Amino acid sequence: MNQIRGSQSISFGEAPYLISSACVAGSKEAEGPLGKLFDMVNQDDLFGAKTWEEAESTMQKEACVLALGKAHMDAKHVRYLYGGDLLRQGIATSMGVEELQIPMFGLYGACSTSGEALALSAMSVAAGYGEYMLAVTSSHFGSAEKEFRFPLGYASQRPLSASWTVTGSGAFLVGRQKSHVRITGVTVGKIVDYGLKDSQNMGACMAPAAADTILTNLKDFGRSPTSYDRIITGDLGYIGQSILLDFMSKNGHQMRDRHLDCGMKIFDQEKQDTHAGGSGCGCAAVTLSAYILPKIQKGEWKRVLFVPTGALMSTVSYNEGASVPGIAHGIVLEHC
């Protein structure tokens, strides 16, 4: 039976499988440490489209088609699709997956959306609401800059605390069909707000939420950091990682030896001008698909806590001087 664990977690009695995944990335990401691991790379970040938004939709569609193709699955067999992006009304998702004609839920958890989508997909399969679910997220540097900061032509100067929105999309097929990776539990995050207002320092805004979810996961499941081969956050970057490790240390947990951050992994800080690291809905998603899942599939890592992190802001809230709350969702991935 599925079990409610502690205050925010669920342990799946019959854990759903993460059957297949696929990722699509842009040119800058292809130049980074994970460049050779992506399923599809396009040196034209417009992906043949006329706008950044259309390009992001194209990435989502391609990622979904590739993930389904790897599992030899037709879209008509997928019960529900959970998807999201960073844009207003989730237009990258709605326009990207339209052709698939899968009943869908549009999500917004900022950069934590891949965790939200995976959690809901796993919960739906475990509850018997369908045999297969598809989770997909995306982000695009061009569309995100235009939405939240300045159009690229403005050539604004970026502070060193700023992260670089990843141009990429990751899609994941979750279901009962056996594979080498299972989603054995989830810890749903809650909104954590320390009053920070600097949208150019999202690592600091999100780190408290990441710490809260990780600490809750450890408490709910009766575990310690050593229970996991890796604890992997989504978008904290170099600044956010430092804050997270301080939070964990003050709460009696040392995890420097097993913590990774997707925003630090996807770019080469010395060779690529990305400042604090990577961010965006695509950051955690493409890193999970290209780098993390293969290690779990091979058994190099037996159990991983995957914690995508999000800064819950909008252009309206920022311009009105509101703080930037954070949220993080924990997904327990295990080799089988």
Side-chain angles (χ1 to χ4, degrees):
M1 293 180 61
N2 299 325
Q3 296 182 350
I4 296 174
R5 301 292 293 268
S7 60
Q8 296 169 221
S9 303
I10 298 173
S11 176
F12 299 121
E14 292 187 20
Y17 293 89
L18 210 165
I19 300 167
S20 67
S21 72
C23 56
V24 179
S27 58
K28 193 177 187 73
E29 292 69 24
E31 296 170 355
L34 307 183
K36 295 181 180 180
L37 304 179
F38 301 133
D39 293 296
M40 178 184 290
V41 169
N42 198 323
Q43 296 303 317
D44 172 18
D45 286 348
L46 280 170
F47 288 82
K50 295 180 180 179
T51 66
W52 302 126
E53 292 77 11
E54 290 177 1
E56 191 172 341
S57 293
T58 299
M59 289 193 300
Q60 278 220 20
K61 180 182 70 174
E62 293 294 344
C64 288
V65 170
L66 286 168
L68 291 170
K70 287 184 181 181
H72 308 290
M73 180 74 58
D74 192 292
K76 66 182 180 183
H77 297 304
V78 178
R79 181 65 173 179
Y80 299 124
L81 182 149
Y82 295 95
D85 54 81
L86 296 175
L87 306 182
R88 291 183 179 93
Q89 284 78 47
I91 59 169
T93 301
S94 58
M95 295 181 179
V97 304
E98 179 182 359
E99 292 182 22
L100 300 176
Q101 286 296 288
I102 301 172
M104 70 160 285
F105 292 93
L107 309 178
Y108 185 83
C111 303
S112 74
T113 303
S114 60
E116 183 180 4
L118 284 169
L120 290 168
S121 295
M123 291 163 67
S124 297
V125 171
Y129 297 138
E131 193 77 11
Y132 301 100
M133 307 289 165
L134 193 60
V136 61
T137 59
S138 68
S139 57
H140 193 294
F141 178 76
S143 63
E145 288 294 304
K146 187 167 74 173
E147 175 101 3
F148 292 99
R149 298 186 179 95
F150 303 99
L152 298 186
Y154 185 80
S156 61
Q157 190 169 3
R158 301 165 57 82
L160 294 177
S161 62
S163 55
W164 188 279
T165 304
V166 166
T167 297
S169 176
F172 308 88
L173 182 65
V174 179
R176 297 186 181 278
Q177 180 181 318
K178 291 185 177 181
S179 73
H180 290 297
V181 181
R182 301 188 87 166
I183 301 175
T184 59
V186 299
T187 299
V188 180
K190 61 177 183 287
I191 296 171
V192 179
D193 189 352
Y194 271 51
L196 282 76
K197 297 183 178 182
D198 186 359
S199 67
Q200 296 276 22
N201 188 359
M202 292 194 296
C205 297
M206 297 185 291
D212 186 83
T213 297
I214 295 169
L215 289 168
T216 300
N217 176 273
L218 299 180
K219 181 179 179 181
D220 287 353
F221 286 93
R223 294 171 179 167
S224 69
T226 57
S227 301
Y228 295 102
D229 294 300
R230 293 291 185 276
I231 296 175
I232 304 174
T233 49
D235 317 84
L236 298 184
Y238 293 89
I239 295 174
Q241 185 201 44
S242 177
I243 298 171
L244 171 65
L245 294 177
D246 283 346
F247 263 108
M248 297 301 296
S249 178
K250 290 179 180 179
N251 282 275
H253 296 290
Q254 303 297 329
M255 61 178 219
R256 186 178 297 275
D257 63 333
R258 63 195 63 244
H259 177 253
L260 293 177
D261 184 75
C262 300
M264 296 167 63
K265 191 70 182 176
I266 195 165
F267 294 122
D268 187 324
Q269 190 187 32
E270 294 183 2
K271 297 180 180 179
Q272 295 179 287
D273 185 21
T274 55
H275 294 352
S279 64
C281 291
C283 181
V286 300
T287 306
L288 175 62
S289 178
Y291 179 73
I292 301 169
L293 287 181
K295 287 188 174 294
I296 302 174
Q297 290 163 350
K298 295 174 184 176
E300 292 182 36
W301 296 339
K302 301 294 185 182
R303 181 190 286 158
V304 167
L305 179 58
F306 177 60
V307 191
T309 48
L312 300 174
M313 64 176 185
S314 72
T315 52
V316 174
S317 66
Y318 173 75
N319 288 327
E320 292 181 346
S323 60
V324 182
I327 192 167
H329 301 292
I331 311 297
V332 181
L333 302 168
E334 296 192 28
H335 171 79
C336 59

